[in-house]
Each structure stands twice: as structure tokens, then as C-alpha cells.
Amino acid sequence: MSDEALIVLENVNKWFGPLHVLDDVNMSVARGEVVVVIGPSGSGKSTLCRAINRLEPISSGTITFDGKPLPEEGKSLARLRSEVGMVFQSFNLFAHKTILQNVMLGPVKVRKEKPVEVRERAMALLDRVGIGNQAEKFPAQLSGGQQQRVAIARALAMQPKAMLFDEPTSALDPEMVGEVLDVMTSLAREGMTMVVVTHEMGFARHAANRVVFMADGQLVEEAPPTEFFANPKSDRAKDFLSKILTH
Ligand SMILES: Nc1ncnc2c1ncn2[C@@H]1O[C@H](COP(=O)(O)OP(=O)(O)OP(=O)(O)O)[C@@H](O)[C@H]1O
């Protein structure tokens, strides 16, 4: 992990009508850092993630990525989206395309890369997430855990500088959670910059450099995982942890 910041949020606010969903959020993610965002339901974690690649416009404040303010539209927005991969709770694969076509689509259509070159990279990524032998199948023929691993390969095919994960295992059957977390852990170990919204505290403990705790749209506290889990400072974090860890 370097000291250089890749993602910086300054005084970010987001309102949905009267609802103050991001309340003056300041946060910086270093190149190669893995930040896990946790907090109660409705605390603004997804909105934070979506704001970082402009899926959600913010009401005020600034977000910079790799030294540049986030673009509003046009070519630079497309470039930002290809530099920041996003993996959602629902995998959103194209049902009528094969697994390999799903992974190749972004580089070929968005970045106009040559299919022969992309194919090799896509196959290597599918091998890496353990799906190489399923490349010619269609999404419905794969389990949820396999589809989510394809979604990760699809994001990686764009060779992103950072990856955002918004509850990537919440929609999975429990026995498939581990296989997705394993892929994410290996990415983290290789130095990918990651912002991960998750309720998987094991992943936070083992893979995060820093845990950020949000409540009511505010970034309440942040610390390295060993420190945060051993000694949460705020009552809200203590309360949240006591509930989640006893389940
Ligand atoms: N498009 C929207 N329009 C109106 N309100 C919204 C919209 N998206 C989110 N919200 C509200 O904003 C608040 C924060 O939502 P967000 O999804 O960011 O929280 P979260 O911490 O990710 O919650 P969860 O853990 O349940 O996914 C919630 O009260 C939610 O209902």
C-alpha cells in the first residue's frame, strides 16, 4: 500500500429529498488499500459506494479519483467507470451471452480492444476465479457464487485501478459466500485498491487495512481491523458489533 491517495471524498453530502444520506463525509483511500465499510442498514454505505463512480450524483462536496475530480458526463465518465470496477449484490450478467462473452464485452465494446487480445485476458481471468471450464456456458447454468465470480472477472477485464464491492455476498446461499470472499481476499493480497461494503466481519478482519464504521450517513469512526474490533470507540459501533457478532 502506498501513501498516495487514489480516492478522496471531501465534505460529501447526499440528500434524497429530506433524507440526509451522506452527512459531510471525508474519507481517503490510498493506492493498494482495502477499506471495508460497515454499519447498520440504511446508514448510507451503498450510496457512498455508488457516489464514488458517479452512479449516484452527490448534493455537495468533492470526490477526486487519481488526482482528478469526478466527471459529470461524457468521455471522462466512461473512462472513470472503466477505471473503477464495481461488483453489486446482484451479478447482472447478460443472460443471453456466454460467460466468456460477458467478460469480453466491456473491453471490446467500451474500449474498442481487439477481441483476440481480450479473449486471452478474459480466459486467464476466468481461470483465476475458478470458472475457466465454464466459459461457454450461460449465466443461468452457473450457481450464484460462480456468477458472482464471473462478475468480478468481468470488472477485472477492464483493468481497473480500483474495485468497489457493494454487499457482494448478500444474495448468495451461505455455502457460496466463501468462494467469492476467497477471490476478493486474493485480490486484496495482490494490492488491488478496494472499497468493500459488507456484513462479512471475517473478511474485514483478515483482508482489510482499515474498517470504516458508518451510521446515519456519518463516518463515525475508522481504524485498522484489529484495533476496531478489539476496541470500538463509539457507542453506536459497540452496539452494532454486539448485534452482528451474536448472530
Ligand atoms: N434512490 C433513492 N431514493 C430515495 N431514498 C434512497 C435511495 N437510495 C437509498 N435511499 C435511502 O437512503 C438511505 C441509505 O441507503 P443506503 O442503501 O445507502 O444504505 P445502506 O447502509 O447501504 O443500507 P443496507 O445495508 O440496507 O444496504 C436509506 O434510508 C435508503 O432508504
Side-chain angles (χ1 to χ4, degrees):
M1 183 172 84
S2 82
D3 289 338
E4 191 194 346
L6 185 62
I7 305 168
V8 181
L9 291 86
E10 287 172 297
N11 308 109
V12 170
N13 286 281
K14 171 70 183 177
W15 297 83
F16 282 119
L19 208 59
H20 201 180
V21 178
L22 295 178
D23 184 354
D24 211 30
V25 171
N26 289 284
M27 178 175 148
S28 170
V29 182
R31 226 176 262 280
E33 188 178 21
V34 178
V35 173
V36 168
V37 183
I38 65 172
S41 184
S43 54
K45 307 180 297 295
S46 282
T47 308
L48 176 79
C49 222
R50 293 167 61 81
I52 295 175
N53 71 351
R54 276 272 188 258
L55 283 173
E56 201 67 76
I58 55 175
S59 308
S60 66
T62 55
I63 306 179
T64 50
F65 181 78
D66 208 9
K68 293 187 256 341
L70 287 199
E72 299 286 347
E73 55 192 17
K75 266 192 188 160
S76 5
L77 182 58
R79 188 174 338 115
L80 171 81
R81 296 261 168 81
S82 76
E83 289 180 352
V84 186
M86 183 131 181
V87 175
F88 302 88
Q89 186 173 333
S90 53
F91 343 111
N92 299 330
L93 300 177
F94 291 103
H96 301 295
K97 295 198 182 293
T98 66
I99 296 306
L100 180 61
Q101 286 168 340
N102 265 279
V103 176
M104 289 178 62
L105 204 62
V108 172
K109 294 278 181 212
V110 179
R111 290 227 304 246
K112 313 288 181 214
E113 290 184 59
K114 290 201 182 95
V116 272
E117 286 160 21
V118 178
R119 189 188 171 88
E120 203 173 315
R121 186 161 88 233
M123 277 311 300
L125 285 168
L126 285 172
D127 279 339
R128 188 213 153 130
V129 300
I131 312 280
N133 57 354
Q134 319 263 30
E136 298 306 328
K137 289 193 175 160
F138 289 89
Q141 295 172 282
L142 269 55
S143 71
Q146 289 172 324
Q147 290 189 57
Q148 190 61 301
R149 286 185 277 149
V150 174
I152 294 174
R154 178 178 58 177
L156 290 173
M158 297 294 273
Q159 300 175 308
K161 291 181 181 162
M163 292 274 287
L164 310 176
F165 293 85
D166 188 5
E167 300 202 21
T169 58
S170 298
L172 300 179
D173 290 335
E175 68 270 23
M176 286 161 194
V177 169
E179 65 195 43
V180 173
L181 293 180
D182 284 348
V183 171
M184 291 167 59
T185 303
S186 82
L187 270 180
R189 301 245 153 93
E190 281 170 22
M192 175 60 81
T193 307
M194 292 163 64
V195 176
V196 183
V197 175
T198 185
H199 296 290
E200 294 293 335
M201 297 300 133
F203 177 82
R205 280 177 198 279
H206 296 121
N209 299 108
R210 187 156 46 110
V211 175
V212 165
F213 174 72
M214 283 187 76
D216 297 330
Q218 294 173 345
L219 202 157
V220 177
E221 62 176 281
E222 52 182 331
T226 38
E227 194 180 318
F228 177 77
F229 289 109
N231 183 25
K233 294 191 175 55
S234 63
D235 287 342
R236 283 192 287 187
K238 284 178 196 161
D239 186 45
F240 173 75
L241 285 180
S242 71
K243 282 190 187 126
I244 201 162
L245 296 175
T246 49
H247 275 104

